[in-house]
Amino acid sequence: MSQTVVQDRTIAETDTKLDVELRKVFKVFDGEAAVRGIDLDVHQGEFFSILGPSGCGKTTTLRLIAGFEEPTGGEVLIRGQSMLNVPPYRRPVNTVFQSYALFNHLNVWENVAFGLRLKKSSKAELQERVGDALQLVKMESFARRYPAQLSGGQQQRVALARALVNRPTVVLLDEPLGALDLKLRKEMQVELSNLHRELGVTFVMVTHDQEEALSLSDRIAVMNAGKIEQIGSPSEIYENPKTPFVADFIGDTNLFQGRIATTHPAAIEIVTEKGLKIWVKPQAAWNGSPPMDVVVSVRPENIHVGSHEADDQMNCYEGTLKNVMYLGTHVHYVVELLTGDRLTVMQPNRSASLHLHAPVQVYWSAQDCLALSA
């Protein structure tokens, strides 16, 4: 598709480098706040994901951007212009739904052309833009088929083509791959990433799938109970979560409730509720006196397990191997420590195996765990 895809806008160009802005946005349904005063900036050409569990407000946020819902308070801007009282069909966005929402009585070509026909585009423009959109998603040879004759992945491509043919400023993706099986979902993730890079159009995706958000996004907003807990790059969100919720929701982790016992320049000693002593690196985000009550997060892949005690490790503990799950490239262990705490450990698959119920030693570096304010 020609580069005019990202240049033909239905909204006046401004000097802003933000395609979407949410300013202190609230949305209340029947006295209950679904979105609680969120602030959000999405840059031009960015793949931005809103991630969170069911009921956290992420789909409502997407609908506020699309215009399907009006905010109870706050403001939504697209390319620097307020969308107050601007209906969905006048906003420079197009939405791809999980259900695809294709018209079963129209073939692929007509489904993609539907929005252009509403705008009374010329026949020549229809031919060119629909052809370009179908070529982009590799569906040109299926133009005369009907949705019922297509696989789930093919229907997803048609839904994407229909969104892109109108050349929107922003493409909104509402759980776009949720209806696909795992193998096809992985394939479509690669295609979606390639498509985004080729077009340079801004994508805003809502998903509850952590792996999907981490693999596709430039930045991620993690939502919980109507609020944004953290915004950052995939590596920032995973490696430096700011709250216990983010640490627990993004990937797998082991969490320990505790209190700070002693502090040193190189490490901080934390004693958990069950008496486990854990050393963690000083947290730069505390900017001064640390909180007393903390939650320690240790990723399973940062924990080592073996039959012998490790040398020079500040965090080394005895335990019993309670469960072993073979996952091909990795092995998943569950270890119960002498305190009764249970750890999940993820290790690369090696020839040396550990036996169920055997005594083991688990250890990790103070640099490989985080203390988060409780």
Side-chain angles (χ1 to χ4, degrees), residues 299-333:
R299 297 288 186 190
E301 66 271 20
N302 289 333
I303 302 175
H304 303 274
V305 59
S307 55
H308 302 288
E309 185 173 342
D311 296 329
D312 301 324
Q313 289 292 342
M314 300 180 79
N315 299 310
C316 187
Y317 313 97
E318 294 180 55
T320 303
L321 196 57
K322 290 294 185 180
N323 189 270
V324 180
M325 292 181 65
Y326 177 78
L327 302 175
T329 58
H330 287 74
V331 181
H332 179 276
Y333 299 104

Side-chain angles (χ1 to χ4, degrees), residues 25-36:
V25 170
F26 285 83
K27 182 60 183 179
V28 178
F29 295 104
D30 300 324
E32 293 289 330
V35 175
R36 301 169 182 267

